[in-house]
Amino acid sequence: MVVAHAEVSARPVGGRGQAFLSVWWAFAILSGMAALALAGTGWFIELGTPKDAPDVIDIVVRTVKVLLLSDIYYDPVQNPEAAPLLEYARALGVLASLLVGLRLLALAIGSRLSDFMYALFIGRHHVVIGDGPAAQEYAAAHNAMFNGRAIHLASARMSTSHRLATWQRRGQLKAQLRHARARSARRIIVDEGDDADTWQTAHLTARACPRADVLAHITDPWMRDRLSRDRAIDQRATPRLMPFSYAGGAARQVMLAHPPYLLAQAISSSVQHILVVGFGQVGEAIAREFIVTCVTPGDHKLMVTVVDPAAAATIEPDFRGRHEELVKHVDFEFIAGDLRLADTRADGLIDRLKKRAVKAPICAVYVAIDLEHQPLGLAFAIRAMALRHDLFLAPIFVCAQHGAGLPSVRHGVGLVGGSADVQDEREKQALAEGKLCNLRVVSFGSWAAAFDGAGMLEQPYDAQARRYHEEYAHQYASHERRSAGAVTGAPRSWDELPDQLRVSNRRAAAHMRTKAFVMDYDLGRWLAADAGYRECHELPPAAGAFPTPEEPDMAMAKLEHQRWMLDRFLDGWRPGGRSDYYRTRKTLIPFEQLSPEEVAKDNAVVETTRTLMKEAAAKKRKSRT
C-alpha cells in the first residue's frame, strides 16, 4: 500500500476564534495607550511643569504605574482638573492590566483548561490514537464525515477547534486514554504506523475501554483476517476490538460503486473478467473483494488476470499455496511482466493477455502499484497499449489515495460499451456528464472512500452486518418452527459471535446489491440516479423483485451457496468432516447434494436480503417526510 500523505491532522484555531483573540489584544493595547496618555496629562497638570530631569523622571514613573495597579492612583489629588483624568486613567489601566493578565494566564494554563473543558462536555466522541496514515486521515476528515467531536492523540500537539482537538501523547497509554476520556468514547481508531504496534495498542485500549468500538488499522488484508480469526480465544475480554485495512476498504468501495458484473453486462459478456496490475496489498484486496461481492449465477468461473513483475517468482506460488481450493473455482492467471515497457511482446505478455481476452473480454482494469512507481503514468500507458493492440475497452481504475487530480465520476457503468464507431462522441459525453466510459482512467482508493468501504460511515459501526445477523437468525428460526415445530438452539448475539463469523456476515451483506441485480432490478440506474455519492451500506429499494418466503427461488438459494463456498475457500476452508480446527466442512459440496436443512439456510439468506432492502426503502421514505 502506498504511504499516505496527510496534509493536516487537526483543524487549527481560526475564523471566529482568531478574530476574537485579535480584538482582545487590540482592546488591551488601546486601553493601555489611552491610560498612559490620560495619566501623563493628569500628572503634568497635578505636579506642574517639570523643572529638571528628576521631575521628568518622576512624571514618567507615575505615568507607567497606571498599568501596574499602583496605590498612588488612589491618593487624594489637589488639582481639580487633574482628578478626572487620573480617575479615567486608573480605570483604563486596570482594564488593560486585566486583559493582558488574563491572556498571559490563558497562555500559561489555558491549554490544560481548554483540554479539561473540551473533554468535560465532549459526550460520546471519537478518539484517534497514533501518527499512522489512517489516524491522520481519519482525524483530518472527521469534521466532514461526522457531526460529533473527536480527540486525536498524536506525537505533536495542534490547536483545538470546536469539534476536533489534537493532543500530544505523554506518559503511559492508560494516562493518555484517561486524559481523552476514552472510556466514554463511541469509537476509537488506532494506527501507530506499524501493524504489530497498532495491534498491541488497540488490544490494550480495548481492555481499558470495553464500551467503545476499537478499530485497529492493519495494513495487510491477509494479516487483518488472520488476526480476526486468531483472536477468537480472547474475544470475551475484547469483544469490540476489530481490525480494518485501507486496502480492503478501498477495494470494497470501488467494487460496490462500479460492479464488474454491470461492466461485463455493458460489453455484452457473460463472464466477469478483471485485470489487476500489481498484486501487493491493494491488488490482492481487489481480487478478494471481487470474489466476495460479485458472484453471479452461471457455470462460468470468475476470471482474474494478474500482471506483476514478481508474478512467477513469488506471487503465484504464494497465492496458490494459501488458496488451494479457491483457485479450483476461480480462474486465476498470473503473468510476469511490466506493462510500462515498450517491447512487451518480447516476453509474450501481450500474447498471453490476448489469449485471456479471447476467453472472455476484460471488463475492468485496476492499477494497484505503489505511489513511487507512478501508477497514474502506468494507467495512461496501459490505455495507449490497449488501443494499440486492441486488447480491451474496459475502464481503468487507478489507486490514488488523494485522487491524482482526476475528476470524480458517478457510480455505475455510465457509458461503457456501445459500438466502436461512436466512441469519440460517447467519451465527450462522459467527460461532460462525469460518467464512466470505455478506457476512461479514473481514480479509486481515496481515504474517504476507503473509510466508507471499511464500514466507518455506518453509525454505529457494523450496523448493517449486525442487522443482517439478527434477521438471518430470525428467518432460520422461523423455518425451524414451521418444519420441525421447535427451534433447535438459541442464536448467538453479535457480541458472542467469533470474529470469523462477523467477517462472514459483513461479506454476505456486501453481496446484497449483487442479489438485487440477479433478480433483474435495475441496479445501474439506481447507482447513477444521484449525482452524489452512494455509501457502501446503502441498499436499493429492490425488495419487490425478491421471492416471498412461501415461494422460495432455488436459483437464488443456489447462488447464495455458491457465494458462501467461495467465501469459505477464501479463508482457507476445505471439504471434509466438520472441524473448526482443521477448517473443513462437509457442506462444501455442489448445491444439488445439500440436505433440505442446508438449503433452508440459503433461502433464509435470500429472505434476509429482501427484508433488509424493504427496511432500507421504508427508512428512506421516512427520512424524506
Side-chain angles (χ1 to χ4, degrees):
M1 185 181 69
V2 291
V3 177
H5 173 263
E7 297 179 357
V8 291
S9 60
R11 297 290 190 274
V13 173
R16 294 179 182 177
Q18 191 64 45
F20 176 76
L21 290 178
S22 298
V23 171
W24 182 288
W25 278 117
F27 199 41
I29 292 172
L30 290 175
S31 300
M33 292 176 64
L36 291 172
L38 291 172
T41 304
W43 287 117
F44 186 87
I45 295 173
E46 172 68 14
L47 300 178
T49 304
K51 299 178 180 179
D52 50 24
D55 291 343
V56 174
I57 294 174
D58 184 38
I59 291 176
V60 171
V61 170
R62 288 172 178 266
T63 300
V64 172
K65 284 184 177 181
V66 75
L67 301 178
L68 304 178
L69 307 180
S70 175
D71 290 342
I72 64 172
Y73 283 86
Y74 293 89
D75 294 337
V77 178
Q78 301 300 321
N79 193 317
E81 294 182 8
L85 295 176
L86 293 176
E87 288 178 2
Y88 285 128
R90 180 183 65 191
L92 290 174
V94 170
L95 177 61
S97 299
L98 284 176
L99 290 175
V100 173
L102 289 174
R103 183 56 186 148
L104 293 176
L105 181 64
L107 290 174
I109 66 170
S111 61
R112 293 188 179 182
L113 180 62
S114 173
D115 292 353
F116 174 76
M117 297 301 293
Y118 187 90
L120 183 63
F121 297 104
I122 198 169
R124 296 280 287 165
H125 57 296
H126 292 186
V127 176
V128 185
I129 302 175
D131 296 286
Q136 294 188 36
E137 294 288 349
Y138 192 92
H142 181 272
N143 284 355
M145 293 191 300
F146 306 105
N147 291 324
R149 295 186 176 188
I151 295 174
H152 183 194
L153 297 173
S155 60
R157 177 189 175 86
M158 292 184 69
S159 301
T160 300
S161 73
H162 71 291
R163 286 203 294 162
L164 178 65
T166 301
W167 295 346
Q168 189 172 13
R169 299 176 69 178
R170 294 176 179 174
Q172 298 296 319
L173 179 62
K174 287 186 177 180
Q176 297 170 20
L177 296 174
R178 184 169 57 252
H179 183 54
R181 294 187 177 266
R183 289 182 64 86
S184 63
R186 178 185 293 112
R187 178 184 294 177
I188 302 175
I189 309 296
V190 183
D191 185 5
E192 300 281 23
D194 174 81
D195 284 348
D197 292 342
T198 296
W199 190 246
Q200 181 181 12
T201 299
H203 196 272
L204 295 173
T205 301
R207 285 179 173 272
C209 308
R211 293 200 307 158
D213 289 331
V214 180
L215 310 179
H217 180 240
I218 304 299
T219 58
D220 188 340
W222 171 253
M223 183 182 296
R224 176 200 63 191
D225 288 349
R226 287 300 311 179
L227 289 171
S228 294
R229 293 196 297 263
D230 293 347
R231 80 175 195 87
I233 299 174
D234 192 42
Q235 192 155 342
R236 290 186 179 181
T238 56
R240 306 184 72 172
L241 168 62
M242 291 153 283
F244 75 97
S245 77
Y246 162 82
R252 177 160 297 182
Q253 191 276 333
V254 72
M255 287 294 160
L256 294 179
H258 308 284
Y261 48 81
L262 286 180
L263 295 170
Q265 183 187 59
I267 62 175
S268 303
S269 174
S270 59
V271 181
Q272 298 180 62
H273 179 191
I274 66 171
L275 171 63
V276 182
V277 182
F279 209 63
Q281 293 169 6
V282 175
E284 186 170 348
I286 287 288
R288 293 163 69 84
E289 293 301 327
F290 174 56
I291 295 166
V292 166
T293 61
C294 299
V295 184
T296 53
D299 298 328
H300 300 289
K301 296 180 179 179
L302 296 173
M303 291 181 64
V304 181
T305 300
V306 176
V307 175
D308 191 286
T314 57
I315 291 176
E316 182 174 10
D318 173 66
F319 188 84
R320 293 187 182 277
R322 287 190 279 120
H323 301 288
E324 292 182 6
E325 292 295 327
L326 180 68
V327 295
K328 298 176 183 177
H329 296 81
V330 178
D331 184 356
F332 275 92
E333 178 81 7
F334 293 86
I335 303 175
D338 187 345
L339 289 171
R340 199 190 302 271
L341 300 179
D343 189 16
T344 48
R345 285 185 177 274
D347 54 8
L349 192 155
I350 294 295
D351 291 337
R352 292 183 67 181
L353 283 178
K354 281 189 172 182
K355 288 180 181 178
R356 292 285 287 176
V358 168
K359 191 174 182 180
I362 295 170
C363 66
V365 179
Y366 302 93
V367 178
I369 63 173
D370 289 342
L371 184 62
E372 57 266 25
H373 294 115
Q374 300 178 337
L376 185 59
L378 176 58
F380 283 108
I382 291 172
R383 185 183 191 278
M385 180 201 65
L387 286 170
R388 185 168 60 252
H389 297 287
D390 193 24
L391 281 177
F392 53 79
L393 291 174
I396 302 170
F397 301 93
V398 56
C399 182
Q401 293 182 347
H402 295 91
L406 297 172
S408 59
V409 298
R410 293 188 185 185
H411 289 188
V413 298
L415 302 177
V416 170
S419 58
D421 57 345
V422 295
Q423 291 309 315
D424 249 0
E425 290 77 7
R426 290 173 73 87
E427 185 173 2
K428 291 177 183 177
Q429 181 184 352
L431 291 172
E433 298 178 2
K435 294 181 179 179
L436 209 59
C437 66
N438 294 343
L439 286 174
R440 181 167 185 180
V441 177
V442 296
S443 65
F444 78 97
S446 70
W447 273 99
F451 287 139
D452 180 23
M456 299 293 195
L457 301 190
E458 289 187 74
Q459 294 288 352
Y461 184 75
D462 266 341
Q464 189 178 79
R466 286 172 182 265
R467 180 71 189 97
Y468 190 97
H469 169 68
E470 293 170 358
E471 184 60 29
Y472 170 78
H474 169 72
Q475 293 295 337
Y476 189 67
S478 298
H479 162 76
E480 286 190 314
R481 278 192 291 269
R482 290 193 302 267
S483 59
V487 179
T488 56
R492 287 183 288 184
S493 68
W494 178 264
D495 288 339
E496 295 173 328
L497 286 181
D499 229 42
Q500 57 186 327
L501 293 183
R502 294 186 187 182
V503 171
S504 294
N505 277 288
R506 295 182 193 119
R507 290 176 176 175
H511 192 255
M512 288 193 288
R513 290 186 185 181
T514 308
K515 288 185 173 69
F517 165 77
V518 171
M519 295 306 299
D520 294 327
Y521 177 79
D522 194 348
L523 185 69
R525 183 176 180 180
W526 176 77
L527 284 170
D530 187 356
Y533 182 92
R534 289 217 180 268
E535 295 176 355
C536 287
H537 59 273
E538 287 187 67
L539 293 176
F546 282 77
T548 61
E550 293 74 23
E551 298 179 358
D553 188 332
M554 288 300 106
M556 285 298 290
K558 182 177 181 179
L559 170 63
E560 170 54 27
H561 180 65
Q562 181 183 0
R563 183 209 66 79
W564 176 81
M565 285 205 305
L566 291 179
D567 184 0
R568 298 292 85 193
F569 292 148
L570 194 60
D571 281 347
W573 292 76
R574 297 174 291 110
R578 183 183 180 101
S579 172
D580 289 345
Y581 182 79
Y582 290 105
R583 306 184 74 75
T584 56
R585 282 289 187 272
K586 61 182 180 181
T587 50
L588 292 170
I589 53 178
F591 179 79
E592 293 73 18
Q593 300 176 21
L594 292 177
S595 66
E597 291 76 15
E598 295 300 326
V599 173
K601 293 180 180 179
D602 294 323
N603 282 323
V605 170
V606 178
E607 176 58 18
T608 296
T609 301
R610 187 182 75 87
T611 301
L612 264 64
M613 288 184 175
K614 185 177 180 180
E615 291 177 355
K619 186 176 180 181
K620 189 81 170 180
R621 288 193 298 269
K622 185 177 180 180
S623 66
R624 287 177 178 174
T625 58

